[in-house]
Amino acid sequence: MRTIAWVYDNPDLRDRYTIIFNTGEAMALSERPGKDQGFARWILVDDYDGDKLGHSVDFSSLPRSVQEYALQESNRKPHSEVPGDNKVMDPLV
């Protein structure tokens, strides 16, 4: 089962929030990921990304829209369908 392991906030980036799951999968999300101008995708987080992630925050401190979107997408996509290849998620294709 996929659970949230780490959450980061970098207000300098369009994909401000990074959520990393216990499976190693990660999502990059803007403040309004489900909207037309929003941003959300599954990503790979490499060691070199560490300084770009921003600061660690609690999942509960994220905007409600980000929390709901991340949980919805996490439950919608089975682990086998999330290769971590920077593929844009369906709602934003």
Side-chain angles (χ1 to χ4, degrees), residues 4 10 75:
I4 296 169
N10 187 340
N75 291 328

mmCIF file of all heavy atoms in Angstrom, residues 4 10 75:
data_model
loop_
_atom_site.group_PDB
_atom_site.id
_atom_site.type_symbol
_atom_site.label_atom_id
_atom_site.label_comp_id
_atom_site.label_asym_id
_atom_site.label_seq_id
_atom_site.Cartn_x
_atom_site.Cartn_y
_atom_site.Cartn_z
ATOM 1 N N ILE A 4 2.233 8.157 2.365
ATOM 2 C CA ILE A 4 3.064 9.353 2.235
ATOM 3 C C ILE A 4 4.229 9.252 3.210
ATOM 4 O O ILE A 4 4.031 9.044 4.405
ATOM 5 C CB ILE A 4 2.232 10.617 2.500
ATOM 6 C CG1 ILE A 4 1.156 10.744 1.414
ATOM 7 C CG2 ILE A 4 3.124 11.850 2.549
ATOM 8 C CD1 ILE A 4 0.106 11.769 1.688
ATOM 9 N N ASN A 10 8.532 24.146 -1.833
ATOM 10 C CA ASN A 10 9.494 25.094 -2.389
ATOM 11 C C ASN A 10 8.693 26.182 -3.105
ATOM 12 O O ASN A 10 8.314 26.021 -4.267
ATOM 13 C CB ASN A 10 10.458 24.418 -3.355
ATOM 14 C CG ASN A 10 11.558 25.366 -3.801
ATOM 15 O OD1 ASN A 10 11.408 26.574 -3.705
ATOM 16 N ND2 ASN A 10 12.648 24.820 -4.275
ATOM 17 N N ASN A 75 -4.631 6.949 -4.889
ATOM 18 C CA ASN A 75 -5.561 5.819 -4.829
ATOM 19 C C ASN A 75 -6.021 5.367 -6.202
ATOM 20 O O ASN A 75 -6.367 4.214 -6.400
ATOM 21 C CB ASN A 75 -6.781 6.191 -3.975
ATOM 22 C CG ASN A 75 -6.421 6.333 -2.524
ATOM 23 O OD1 ASN A 75 -5.541 5.652 -2.025
ATOM 24 N ND2 ASN A 75 -7.080 7.249 -1.839
#
